[in-house]
Amino acid sequence: MPLAALRRATRETVSGLPREFWWLWTSTLVNRLGAFVATFMALYLTLDRGYSASYAGLVASLHGLGGVVSSIGAGVMTDRLGRRPTLLVAQSATAGSVALLGFMHHPVAIAAVAFLVGMTSNASRPAVQAMMADIVRPEDRVRAFSLNYWAINLGFAVSSMGAGFIAEYSYLAGFLIEAGMTAVCAVVVFLRLPESRPVAQHAEKAVDDVRLGTVLRDGRFMSVVGLSFLVAVIFQQGSIGLPVAMGEAGFTPADYGLAIALNGVLIVALQIPVTRFIQDRDPQRLLVVSSLLAGYGFGLTAFAGSVGLFAVTVCVWTLGEMINAPTQTGLVVRLSPTHGRGRYQGMYTLSWSVAALVAPLMSGFVIDRFGAEWLWGLCAVVGTVAAVGYAALMRHLSRETAGATVVSEQPAPAEAGAA
């Protein structure tokens, strides 16, 4: 693509979004730029503190369990207290708990504070997603979610590189830097982001009408949550099954690092052009294709015998990730009632948190009992099931939307689809 055309495409991708979105985007980027602890936690516990790999795995699981616990509670807070207060509480608590973790030495204390960090750091996600849906026009939401996803990956790519250098100097410095940058995010929210929760007549009654039971009884939405869980389990294999399988095949950590680095590089380099390509495409087709790319991208790993071939498989499932993330988030917003977005986003976040708990157990069991080839074959099967599920769900939603258009003149798909 010529440079002038690339500049024009980039300008069109980022134009037209409200100022509040860019402050939220900035907060996300700063937060991910400082995400050092998750990167070096296992090394910190095993090399610096001298604990076993089993203990490091336990701490990681407790961190994930904290995210599971906070997903629903944060969703309720987002609807009842508001997006801005929830963000401020979550980010301030994350800054404090991350700093505290750096000073913990007893194994029980480390495990307990790691659980607290998992709770607080995950609590901001429903509020961020609900606020983004509030402030961005329905026709721009896929583009906005894609740009936010790009910021997450850009920040993670930079912080992953920086984490190694910081760890060589001082692990404690990493904890304190992450705590400081998270505190900066809270300051940005406090100074620049107004509350975005929709205000309507009888708003309190509307909030009260959308309870957790309402979300659980919403069959369409819970179908999306289930399909999201399947896709999340597949994508988790990039950081769980893939390094184990490569290690057992005789490849070094550096080989794995080289292959997996392509994931972040491709997302940073291609997310904006991919966004332009998908923003006006049929979401049903996008979700089906992304599920197949994810499943069969990992499935192809069974045939990889060199670092180059592993890198090719990473490219395949990364493309699926770039398509799936903004499209699926847009679908979640479409199915979420305006005054219940926090609870709905919390349930959606829960699908990824539970996947982070299930995927390590599943990967280890399958690899130990049957071999890595069976894990990659299972990924292909799960991807196929998810694709079929999305095709059936979206076909049903398309018929509902067409029927609603006949009887209603509401133009916003987020509201029309959120019965």
Side-chain angles (χ1 to χ4, degrees):
M1 180 184 290
L3 183 59
L6 180 61
R7 288 175 177 171
R8 183 172 63 254
T10 302
R11 185 168 56 252
E12 292 174 357
T13 300
V14 302
S15 64
L17 295 170
R19 180 181 302 175
E20 293 82 2
F21 165 80
W22 289 112
W23 282 115
L24 189 60
W25 183 91
T26 301
S27 176
T28 298
L29 179 61
V30 171
N31 183 272
R32 299 309 299 173
L33 285 171
F36 301 119
V37 173
T39 303
F40 62 63
M41 177 59 77
L43 294 175
Y44 166 70
L45 293 175
T46 55
L47 297 182
D48 190 66
R49 293 298 180 192
Y51 292 113
S52 67
S54 297
Y55 175 75
L58 173 64
V59 172
S61 296
L62 287 172
H63 183 277
L65 181 61
V68 171
V69 171
S70 69
S71 296
I72 301 301
V76 174
M77 285 178 60
T78 297
D79 284 337
R80 285 196 169 273
L81 299 181
R83 284 64 159 138
R84 185 172 180 266
T86 302
L87 272 176
L88 287 171
V89 170
Q91 292 176 341
S92 300
T94 300
S97 59
V98 167
L100 180 64
L101 183 58
F103 293 98
M104 294 296 101
H105 298 282
H106 193 278
V108 175
I110 291 174
V113 178
F115 173 79
L116 181 61
V117 171
M119 284 187 62
T120 56
S121 61
N122 195 64
S124 62
R125 293 180 182 178
V128 169
Q129 292 168 342
M131 180 174 278
M132 204 166 294
D134 295 338
I135 63 181
V136 176
R137 296 179 303 176
E139 61 269 24
D140 292 331
R141 283 175 183 157
V142 170
R143 183 159 58 102
F145 285 124
S146 186
L147 287 168
N148 191 66
Y149 182 66
W150 182 83
I152 290 171
N153 283 277
L154 175 61
F156 179 75
V158 175
S159 67
S160 296
M161 291 185 291
F165 294 104
I166 292 172
E168 288 186 2
Y169 170 72
S170 167
Y171 283 103
L172 178 59
F175 286 100
L176 296 179
I177 292 173
E178 176 165 345
M181 296 190 77
T182 306
V184 170
C185 295
V187 172
V188 170
V189 171
F190 180 76
L191 295 178
R192 294 296 182 179
L193 282 174
E195 176 57 56
S196 67
R197 183 173 54 170
V199 177
Q201 191 174 9
H202 308 304
E204 289 298 327
K205 184 178 185 302
V207 172
D208 289 339
D209 287 343
V210 182
R211 300 180 180 274
L212 290 179
T214 308
V215 183
L216 293 172
R217 289 191 298 270
D218 189 337
R220 299 175 307 172
F221 182 78
M222 291 308 296
S223 297
V224 174
V225 172
L227 294 171
S228 169
F229 168 76
L230 294 179
V231 173
V233 167
I234 297 174
F235 285 130
Q236 288 288 332
Q237 302 311 319
S239 58
I240 297 169
L242 184 59
V244 174
M246 290 185 69
E248 289 192 349
F251 293 94
T252 67
D255 293 330
Y256 165 72
L258 183 63
I260 199 64
L262 277 172
N263 174 254
V265 170
L266 287 174
I267 291 174
V268 172
L270 298 180
Q271 188 65 61
I272 290 179
V274 167
T275 297
R276 283 186 54 78
F277 178 79
I278 70 174
Q279 62 182 355
D280 296 321
R281 306 279 174 173
D282 178 15
Q284 176 188 17
R285 187 171 301 174
L286 293 174
L287 289 168
V288 169
V289 169
S290 64
S291 299
L292 294 175
L293 286 171
Y296 286 90
F298 278 102
L300 289 172
T301 309
F303 305 100
S306 66
V307 176
L309 290 177
F310 277 112
V312 170
T313 67
V314 171
C315 292
V316 175
W317 58 258
T318 296
L319 179 59
E321 186 180 357
M322 287 190 288
I323 296 172
N324 179 271
T327 308
Q328 184 166 253
T329 307
L331 176 61
V332 170
V333 173
R334 173 184 171 186
L335 295 177
S336 304
T338 301
H339 294 286
R341 280 178 181 152
R343 288 175 172 86
Y344 274 71
Q345 291 289 353
M347 187 63 69
Y348 170 63
T349 301
L350 181 65
S351 67
W352 284 85
S353 299
V354 174
L357 282 178
V358 171
L361 301 176
M362 182 194 79
S363 304
F365 176 81
V366 174
I367 291 176
D368 288 342
R369 288 292 187 93
F370 306 105
E373 292 79 7
W374 281 85
L375 176 64
W376 308 131
L378 182 60
C379 286
V381 172
V382 173
T384 303
V385 171
V388 172
Y390 277 124
L393 174 68
M394 296 300 291
R395 190 180 302 117
H396 179 65
L397 287 177
S398 297
R399 287 198 298 268
E400 284 190 0
T401 301
T405 303
V406 175
V407 298
S408 173
E409 296 182 356
Q410 294 181 357
E415 309 304 329

